Amino acid sequence: MTDTSSALRIVWIYPDLLSTYGDQGNVLILKRRAELRGIPTEVVHVHSSDPVPEHGDVYLLGGGEDRPQILAAERLRAGGGLARAARNGACVFAVCAGYQIIGESYGDEEANPLPGVGILDIRSNRGETRAVGEIVADMDPALGVSRITGFENHRGRTAVGPSARPLSTVTRGIGNDDRTEGAYQGQILGTYLHGPALPRNPELADLLLRWRVGQLNPLPPAWGERLHDERLAAASR
């Protein structure tokens, strides 16, 4: 999307299955930061009984428990709408369970590998311990986003394949594997960060917007930037 006279279409996938940790906040902040710049938006809520539309701009997936995660992956694979949208150049932002299921494979509650949607070159399984707590990570410099913060609560361990790149390098927390956090491939980006991630990291929200609308006008610092700085300072103590 390069013509800001048309609405930025934000697609919130399966809020009935993948919205355990308040990740709908990512939808709200993306909409808000677009509209503050005069970019009209349309938010589409897609429940698990509905087909995923193929003509969105930004698709968002949140976190969820084991059984809803499996059901979400099965329905996304069967419908194919998200995969087709990604192939057509849409931006995808996925968190925790959503991050795992857009990959090539992920583990169920017994660590059995299950097929994912296959739009991000990652493979996830279950670790021996649960990662819980604040996480701080330095973004890949190529993305032009400063240090990010969030809260993680997962047993996943994720390997990033050669077609994708780690999103960031962990300075505190576990992330993918004690070293890196998240992954991205083209305009598809996944992370374990809750908080929610985009309200806590406004620069990350703006990255997604730039991918769809191009150059953005700067916004004056507000509560999102203050929240980011406060959480970063707290996590560094």
Side-chain angles (χ1 to χ4, degrees), residues 59-88:
Y59 292 75
L60 297 109
L61 300 89
E65 303 299 330
D66 291 333
R67 295 307 301 173
Q69 178 186 28
I70 293 171
L71 180 57
E74 290 174 346
R75 294 192 174 184
L76 288 172
R77 290 180 65 247
L82 178 61
R84 288 190 291 272
R87 286 197 297 269
N88 290 334

Side-chain angles (χ1 to χ4, degrees), residues 20-228:
T20 303
Y21 301 109
D23 294 311
Q24 189 175 0
N26 294 323
V27 179
L28 300 177
I29 200 67
L30 201 64
K31 173 181 172 65
R32 178 62 175 165
R33 292 185 74 82
E35 292 180 345
L36 285 172
R37 296 177 165 98
I39 302 168
T41 64
E42 175 192 4
V43 176
V44 180
H45 289 74
V46 180
H47 291 271
S48 58
S49 57
D50 302 327
V52 176
E54 299 177 27
H55 301 293
D57 290 295
V58 184
Y59 292 75
L60 297 109
L61 300 89
E65 303 299 330
D66 291 333
R67 295 307 301 173
Q69 178 186 28
I70 293 171
L71 180 57
E74 290 174 346
R75 294 192 174 184
L76 288 172
R77 290 180 65 247
L82 178 61
R84 288 190 291 272
R87 286 197 297 269
N88 290 334
C91 173
V92 179
F93 180 73
V95 174
C96 204
Y99 169 43
Q100 292 182 357
I101 64 177
I102 66 170
E104 297 295 334
S105 63
Y106 67 100
D108 66 10
E109 60 266 39
E110 302 298 329
N112 300 306
L114 297 174
V117 180
I119 60 173
L120 181 62
D121 188 13
I122 60 168
R123 290 156 183 81
S124 302
N125 213 319
R126 294 174 71 85
E128 295 182 0
T129 59
R130 192 168 192 86
V132 181
E134 290 290 309
I135 183 167
V136 178
D138 290 324
M139 289 282 286
D140 184 332
L143 296 176
V145 176
S146 61
R147 178 171 283 187
I148 57 176
T149 75
F151 186 84
E152 61 180 342
N153 183 5
H154 62 94
R155 284 192 64 180
R157 298 298 184 270
T158 297
V160 180
S163 296
R165 296 181 64 172
L167 178 66
S168 58
T169 302
V170 171
T171 63
R172 173 178 174 171
I174 303 298
N176 293 329
D177 54 8
D178 291 312
R179 298 183 301 276
T180 66
E181 202 294 306
Y184 72 100
Q185 182 175 339
Q187 295 187 9
I188 300 168
L189 189 156
T191 177
Y192 278 113
L193 269 62
H194 296 290
L198 299 186
R200 284 181 62 156
N201 301 282
E203 289 185 27
L204 189 56
D206 287 350
L207 172 67
L208 304 180
L209 292 176
R210 286 199 305 273
W211 280 348
R212 299 310 299 152
V213 305
Q215 189 64 35
L216 298 173
N217 296 326
L219 295 176
W223 65 265
E225 287 77 12
R226 292 194 297 272
L227 175 62
H228 172 269

